[in-house]
Amino acid sequence: MSINLGYFISEAAISFKRNWVMTFGGIATIFLSLLLMGSALLMNSLVNDMVGDIESRINIQVWIHDDAEYVDIEGLQVALEGHENVATVHLVDKDEALERFTYMTQESPQIVEQLQDNPLPRSLEIELIDTQEIDGVLSLIRGSEEFPLIADPPSDPERALAYGQGIVETLLGATQTARYAGIALVGILAVVSLIFINNTIRLAIYARRNELSIMRLVGASNGFIRAPFILEGILQALVGAILAILVLLAIKSFVFPGLQETLAFITFNFTNALMTEIALILLASGVVIGTLGAIIAMRRYLKI
Amino acid sequence: MSDLESRLDQIVPEPQFSPRANRGPLMISMKNVSKRYVANKAALENVNVEVAAGEFVFIVGHSGSGKSTFIRMLLREVQPSSGQIIVAGHDLSRLKNSKVPYLRRNIGCVFQDFKLLPNKTAFENVAFALQVIGKSKHVINTQVPEVLRLVGLEGKIHNYPHELSGGEQQRVSVARAFVNRPPLLLCDEPTGNLDPQTSLGIMKLLERINRTGTTTLIATHDQEMVNYMRQRVIALDEGQLVRDQDRGVYGNVD
């Protein structure tokens, strides 16, 4: 069928030239929807990385009342060190707390200068082995005899505990909303590109109606008649997909390195494997949209 | 219908026509065929026709008498509302849509408006018919010049349709219909756009093709031509078959 393949490709190319405005529209919408889809996939991986990163950094802090007895603090510290899910327990004394605070506020040193004495409390910093199993450690702290004695404020010991309550949930909730919006947008654009491709193929069918009626009369098989149109749809989609992939690669190589400098706390880690995966997803989606658009057009306008 | 019955139907001639025994295998068989595009008006009403392989048949009648519907049914562009049509051994009502192209490869078609592609030369127009059914370049390069010579266009192979006269264009279209050597040739008003002299030339060409063994069906209202050719005539009027006559004339179909 080597002759046929050449025939199909030249037919698709001719139609490409003939209806270039519609073709351009089809390519542009496919490009946009695939670009959005690709960005959404990139963002998704970014958010997953971030969440993982934040989760791994979660630790527990126990604020300690200034009047607390050192024995009680040490008692709790020893008990915690005995727990299987605790990596380290570090007692931050008032000086270290002030040192950290000074570092954190170094941009406006007057804050520290205005302090009369050191108001910062001591604290126990507990690093966990598995952040998912944080509850066991929390209940150990809450159940210990020392905790109510050293907690700051003593009236409400629960407020002395800090372990990033809800940070992960809030983060996930926010990104989830963004993700749904993204999916909806990509869906709408996919429909628009379907309509565009459908229209271009319809015009192509109309432009070739005489040829098609002769092809039918002399007994060209249905597959033979349809093939150039499907090919045209796929070709448009592929061009759109390749453009989208190129733009994503450009964003990856030129925009993110700059962002990385400004947003140092986020690690942008786009591996080649991830980019390849996204590229393949975009190409596949493009082919699906192109084929579908062509098939819909042929069902409606090509009576075989 | 049982196998035996259907065979009997083929053997026993329909009573309303002269017996057509000894004519060889059937190319076309229509039994009780009716077609209604709208509910109360029949385009064809209870038509029974048999055409043996190798026959030359005129189908005559006024506009709207059902000639075109008759031709289009044989191509399975139109399905009958009732009745059975067998063409070249295919029962058209049982033929799957996907098999229709293979039926059409056995049927050549010629139309009043030639249906040539304006941006292709005579050669390319004929070649197109072979190309789209997947014939090789070699087959195309040998068969196309040959069939163009047969229709008398050997000197104008590379002319475009607009450089050819009406008669020459119709010859290209006959060449295209015949290039695949189909056993059946259908012509819908092939001389409708041509002057009498040119029409005669086309008719002679069709007759010559018929003599190679191709069953030829011509729907026409060209009275002069039908009377001149003295071939079998099937007359339709308001969808009814009113006359089926060997070596017939156009006659009064009113």
Side-chain angles (χ1 to χ4, degrees):
Chain A
M1 295 295 270
S2 59
I3 323 166
N4 284 356
L5 192 63
Y7 166 82
F8 294 145
I9 291 174
S10 75
E11 287 299 322
I14 288 170
S15 177
F16 225 88
K17 268 193 270 174
R18 207 178 268 159
N19 302 315
W20 67 270
V21 176
M22 287 304 294
T23 306
F24 180 77
I27 291 175
T29 44
I30 282 228
F31 161 72
L32 275 180
S33 53
L34 291 183
L35 182 62
L36 268 178
M37 195 187 282
S39 317
L41 287 172
L42 271 183
M43 283 304 141
N44 194 20
S45 117
L46 189 69
V47 165
N48 283 344
D49 280 1
M50 263 169 69
V51 168
D53 193 37
I54 290 171
E55 269 179 352
S56 73
R57 275 195 264 170
I58 284 182
N59 56 13
I60 304 175
Q61 290 198 318
V62 181
W63 304 110
I64 298 170
H65 194 252
D66 282 353
D67 299 336
E69 299 285 344
Y70 186 72
V71 255
D72 293 331
I73 300 170
E74 202 174 24
L76 182 58
Q77 188 171 358
V78 171
L80 280 168
E81 276 164 353
H83 192 275
E84 52 180 12
N85 194 26
V86 172
T88 57
V89 183
H90 173 62
L91 174 63
V92 182
D93 58 26
K94 291 182 78 80
D95 289 341
E96 189 178 348
L98 182 63
E99 212 172 284
R100 287 189 190 177
F101 183 72
T102 314
Y103 177 77
M104 271 162 63
T105 56
Q106 58 186 337
E107 311 244 307
S108 32
Q110 65 272 20
I111 297 178
V112 178
E113 281 160 20
Q114 299 207 343
L115 293 175
Q116 304 294 325
D117 54 351
N118 184 352
L120 297 167
R122 290 170 292 174
S123 64
L124 276 177
E125 250 178 28
I126 304 141
E127 273 186 38
L128 302 174
I129 293 169
D130 181 0
T131 50
Q132 299 290 321
E133 301 296 322
I134 192 170
D135 287 349
V137 182
L138 286 174
S139 57
L140 171 76
I141 297 171
R142 289 186 185 118
S144 70
E145 319 173 345
E146 294 93 350
F147 178 56
L149 301 173
I150 63 171
D152 176 44
S155 54
D156 186 4
E158 196 53 36
R159 279 175 56 200
L161 270 177
Y163 51 91
Q165 295 98 320
I167 288 186
V168 173
E169 286 76 6
T170 315
L171 197 62
L172 281 180
T175 54
Q176 198 67 23
T177 315
R179 210 172 293 174
Y180 285 142
I183 289 172
L185 199 56
V186 167
I188 291 169
L189 277 170
V191 171
V192 174
S193 27
L194 265 182
I195 293 170
F196 256 95
I197 290 208
N198 178 44
N199 254 325
T200 357
I201 305 291
R202 193 181 97 185
L203 284 184
I205 291 171
Y206 183 78
R208 298 185 52 213
R209 63 197 181 285
N210 293 328
E211 268 166 78
L212 291 174
S213 76
I214 291 166
M215 284 165 88
R216 276 198 294 274
L217 276 176
V218 300
S221 65
N222 295 346
F224 188 96
I225 294 177
R226 289 190 180 120
F229 299 112
I230 301 228
L231 202 70
E232 190 185 339
I234 292 179
L235 218 60
Q236 281 186 35
L238 279 184
V239 173
I242 288 168
L243 286 177
I245 291 168
L246 289 179
V247 170
L248 277 182
L249 284 176
I251 291 176
K252 181 214 165 202
S253 343
F254 301 115
V255 180
F256 277 121
L259 269 181
Q260 180 74 80
E261 275 173 32
T262 8
L263 305 171
F265 59 93
I266 304 172
T267 40
F268 294 109
N269 185 22
F270 300 129
T271 59
N272 284 336
L274 175 69
M275 294 311 284
T276 315
E277 193 188 322
I278 290 179
L280 288 179
I281 291 175
L282 295 193
L283 285 176
S285 321
V287 168
V288 169
I289 293 177
T291 315
L292 221 62
I295 286 175
I296 294 171
M298 285 189 300
R299 283 188 154 242
R300 293 184 58 193
Y301 304 107
L302 194 62
K303 297 277 172 276
I304 292 183
Chain B
M1 188 182 284
S2 79
D3 213 8
L4 181 65
E5 272 177 303
S6 67
R7 241 179 293 157
L8 277 176
D9 274 356
Q10 291 187 1
I11 296 164
V12 179
E14 295 293 332
Q16 63 196 97
F17 308 120
S18 53
R20 300 195 177 282
N22 309 325
R23 274 184 189 265
L26 285 178
M27 178 57 67
I28 296 167
S29 156
M30 282 190 172
K31 287 202 183 78
N32 307 318
V33 171
S34 297
K35 175 66 189 178
R36 291 163 192 281
Y37 293 105
V38 287
N40 54 354
K41 175 98 170 60
L44 281 181
E45 182 85 70
N46 203 27
V47 171
N48 290 281
V49 169
E50 287 186 345
V51 176
E55 277 198 83
F56 191 104
V57 183
F58 282 113
I59 298 157
V60 302
H62 294 303
S63 300
S65 60
K67 298 194 300 282
S68 289
T69 301
F70 191 98
I71 296 274
R72 293 177 68 197
M73 273 192 189
L74 296 177
L75 282 168
R76 204 176 169 284
E77 277 194 62
V78 175
Q79 293 254 49
S81 310
S82 64
Q84 186 193 36
I85 305 176
I86 296 175
V87 176
H90 300 279
D91 185 337
L92 297 197
S93 56
R94 291 200 200 148
L95 195 66
K96 283 193 207 136
N97 277 336
S98 58
K99 298 284 178 228
V100 170
Y102 303 97
L103 167 78
R104 292 188 184 154
R105 287 179 196 188
N106 288 319
I107 305 177
C109 284
V110 177
F111 295 93
Q112 181 171 9
D113 57 357
F114 318 139
K115 290 200 195 296
L116 298 178
L117 297 172
N119 54 349
K120 288 187 193 296
T121 64
F123 180 93
E124 288 164 349
N125 263 291
V126 178
F128 184 69
L130 292 177
Q131 218 176 355
V132 299
I133 61 172
K135 294 282 192 219
S136 71
K137 271 211 171 88
H138 174 74
V139 171
I140 291 172
N141 286 334
T142 51
Q143 286 194 3
V144 175
E146 190 190 322
V147 79
L148 282 170
R149 199 173 322 120
L150 177 85
V151 301
L153 285 177
E154 55 271 33
K156 306 202 164 173
I157 282 185
H158 296 297
N159 286 44
Y160 286 90
H162 66 90
E163 299 167 336
L164 300 172
S165 71
E168 287 166 340
Q169 289 184 47
Q170 191 61 298
R171 281 169 192 271
V172 176
S173 131
V174 171
R176 183 181 60 198
F178 188 58
V179 67
N180 204 25
R181 309 289 150 153
L184 176 61
L185 184 64
L186 300 178
C187 310
D188 194 359
E189 303 278 7
T191 59
N193 274 347
L194 305 173
D195 60 71
Q197 196 58 39
T198 315
S199 298
L200 188 63
I202 295 290
M203 277 302 166
K204 296 242 156 159
L205 174 62
L206 293 176
E207 199 182 28
R208 228 167 79 217
I209 285 175
N210 173 246
R211 280 206 294 271
T212 67
T214 304
T215 314
T216 308
L217 241 78
I218 302 173
T220 184
H221 54 230
D222 192 337
Q223 200 162 340
E224 217 176 313
M225 208 53 63
V226 174
N227 292 341
Y228 176 81
M229 299 292 284
R230 287 280 161 182
Q231 296 280 6
R232 181 176 170 191
V233 173
I234 293 170
L236 295 174
D237 185 34
E238 310 233 313
Q240 308 256 6
L241 197 158
V242 293
R243 185 158 52 92
D244 184 352
Q245 197 175 24
D246 281 336
R247 303 191 67 75
V249 291
Y250 195 87
N252 292 320
V253 285
D254 293 306

Tab-separated table of all heavy atoms in Angstrom, chain A residues 39-57:
chain	number	residue	atom	x	y	z
A	39	SER	N	0.911	22.152	31.436
A	39	SER	CA	1.234	22.972	32.594
A	39	SER	C	0.605	22.378	33.838
A	39	SER	O	1.221	22.342	34.910
A	39	SER	CB	0.717	24.397	32.406
A	39	SER	OG	0.969	24.843	31.117
A	40	ALA	N	-0.651	21.916	33.688
A	40	ALA	CA	-1.338	21.323	34.836
A	40	ALA	C	-0.567	20.102	35.333
A	40	ALA	O	-0.383	19.918	36.549
A	40	ALA	CB	-2.757	20.934	34.456
A	41	LEU	N	-0.074	19.299	34.401
A	41	LEU	CA	0.686	18.110	34.802
A	41	LEU	C	1.974	18.514	35.515
A	41	LEU	O	2.339	17.932	36.550
A	41	LEU	CB	1.014	17.255	33.580
A	41	LEU	CG	-0.165	16.491	32.979
A	41	LEU	CD1	0.227	15.845	31.664
A	41	LEU	CD2	-0.650	15.437	33.952
A	42	LEU	N	2.648	19.557	34.981
A	42	LEU	CA	3.865	20.047	35.626
A	42	LEU	C	3.570	20.537	37.042
A	42	LEU	O	4.255	20.180	38.001
A	42	LEU	CB	4.454	21.199	34.824
A	42	LEU	CG	5.439	20.853	33.714
A	42	LEU	CD1	5.961	22.127	33.078
A	42	LEU	CD2	6.587	20.048	34.283
A	43	MET	N	2.499	21.348	37.156
A	43	MET	CA	2.125	21.902	38.456
A	43	MET	C	1.806	20.786	39.446
A	43	MET	O	2.181	20.841	40.610
A	43	MET	CB	0.903	22.813	38.308
A	43	MET	CG	1.222	24.165	37.731
A	43	MET	SD	2.478	24.958	38.752
A	43	MET	CE	3.480	25.742	37.527
A	44	ASN	N	1.127	19.795	38.922
A	44	ASN	CA	0.743	18.670	39.766
A	44	ASN	C	1.976	18.030	40.380
A	44	ASN	O	2.043	17.785	41.590
A	44	ASN	CB	-0.019	17.665	38.903
A	44	ASN	CG	-0.738	16.645	39.739
A	44	ASN	OD1	-0.972	16.905	40.920
A	44	ASN	ND2	-1.059	15.519	39.157
A	45	SER	N	2.953	17.787	39.526
A	45	SER	CA	4.150	17.130	40.038
A	45	SER	C	4.876	18.046	41.022
A	45	SER	O	5.403	17.621	42.047
A	45	SER	CB	5.045	16.723	38.868
A	45	SER	OG	6.260	17.380	38.912
A	46	LEU	N	4.836	19.364	40.694
A	46	LEU	CA	5.464	20.342	41.582
A	46	LEU	C	4.813	20.315	42.953
A	46	LEU	O	5.482	20.266	43.996
A	46	LEU	CB	5.297	21.727	40.946
A	46	LEU	CG	6.052	22.877	41.582
A	46	LEU	CD1	7.522	22.691	41.341
A	46	LEU	CD2	5.581	24.196	40.987
A	47	VAL	N	3.466	20.334	42.964
A	47	VAL	CA	2.729	20.353	44.226
A	47	VAL	C	2.989	19.069	45.011
A	47	VAL	O	3.213	19.104	46.222
A	47	VAL	CB	1.217	20.526	43.953
A	47	VAL	CG1	0.406	20.182	45.186
A	47	VAL	CG2	0.945	21.939	43.502
A	48	ASN	N	3.010	17.948	44.315
A	48	ASN	CA	3.281	16.692	45.013
A	48	ASN	C	4.659	16.723	45.669
A	48	ASN	O	4.828	16.299	46.811
A	48	ASN	CB	3.202	15.515	44.037
A	48	ASN	CG	1.764	15.151	43.728
A	48	ASN	OD1	0.861	15.563	44.461
A	48	ASN	ND2	1.547	14.423	42.657
A	49	ASP	N	5.631	17.249	44.936
A	49	ASP	CA	6.978	17.376	45.499
A	49	ASP	C	6.957	18.247	46.739
A	49	ASP	O	7.528	17.909	47.771
A	49	ASP	CB	7.924	18.003	44.462
A	49	ASP	CG	8.396	16.973	43.459
A	49	ASP	OD1	7.961	15.800	43.583
A	49	ASP	OD2	9.166	17.333	42.548
A	50	MET	N	6.245	19.393	46.613
A	50	MET	CA	6.194	20.339	47.718
A	50	MET	C	5.553	19.720	48.938
A	50	MET	O	6.068	19.846	50.052
A	50	MET	CB	5.381	21.573	47.314
A	50	MET	CG	6.217	22.726	46.851
A	50	MET	SD	5.176	23.979	46.110
A	50	MET	CE	4.293	24.584	47.549
A	51	VAL	N	4.443	19.053	48.735
A	51	VAL	CA	3.735	18.445	49.855
A	51	VAL	C	4.630	17.413	50.532
A	51	VAL	O	4.766	17.385	51.759
A	51	VAL	CB	2.415	17.804	49.379
A	51	VAL	CG1	1.823	16.937	50.469
A	51	VAL	CG2	1.440	18.889	48.994
A	52	GLY	N	5.283	16.618	49.716
A	52	GLY	CA	6.186	15.610	50.262
A	52	GLY	C	7.289	16.264	51.065
A	52	GLY	O	7.615	15.836	52.174
A	53	ASP	N	7.811	17.352	50.509
A	53	ASP	CA	8.899	18.073	51.143
A	53	ASP	C	8.460	18.613	52.499
A	53	ASP	O	9.129	18.442	53.523
A	53	ASP	CB	9.309	19.222	50.209
A	53	ASP	CG	10.627	19.829	50.624
A	53	ASP	OD1	11.496	19.048	51.073
A	53	ASP	OD2	10.778	21.052	50.508
A	54	ILE	N	7.289	19.265	52.494
A	54	ILE	CA	6.785	19.859	53.731
A	54	ILE	C	6.489	18.780	54.771
A	54	ILE	O	6.840	18.905	55.934
A	54	ILE	CB	5.535	20.707	53.445
A	54	ILE	CG1	5.956	21.950	52.669
A	54	ILE	CG2	4.813	21.084	54.720
A	54	ILE	CD1	4.810	22.753	52.136
A	55	GLU	N	5.898	17.709	54.287
A	55	GLU	CA	5.584	16.622	55.223
A	55	GLU	C	6.843	16.086	55.884
A	55	GLU	O	6.867	15.802	57.080
A	55	GLU	CB	4.891	15.481	54.459
A	55	GLU	CG	3.391	15.620	54.441
A	55	GLU	CD	2.735	14.498	53.666
A	55	GLU	OE1	3.467	13.709	53.024
A	55	GLU	OE2	1.510	14.417	53.701
A	56	SER	N	7.897	15.964	55.076
A	56	SER	CA	9.115	15.388	55.636
A	56	SER	C	9.759	16.348	56.640
A	56	SER	O	10.553	15.950	57.474
A	56	SER	CB	10.100	15.053	54.520
A	56	SER	OG	10.659	16.248	54.021
A	57	ARG	N	9.415	17.637	56.527
A	57	ARG	CA	10.025	18.621	57.443
A	57	ARG	C	9.194	18.820	58.710
A	57	ARG	O	9.582	19.595	59.583
A	57	ARG	CB	10.197	19.953	56.720
A	57	ARG	CG	11.496	19.987	55.930
A	57	ARG	CD	11.823	21.388	55.534
A	57	ARG	NE	11.357	21.651	54.186
A	57	ARG	CZ	11.339	22.875	53.650
A	57	ARG	NH1	11.698	23.912	54.357
A	57	ARG	NH2	10.923	23.039	52.411
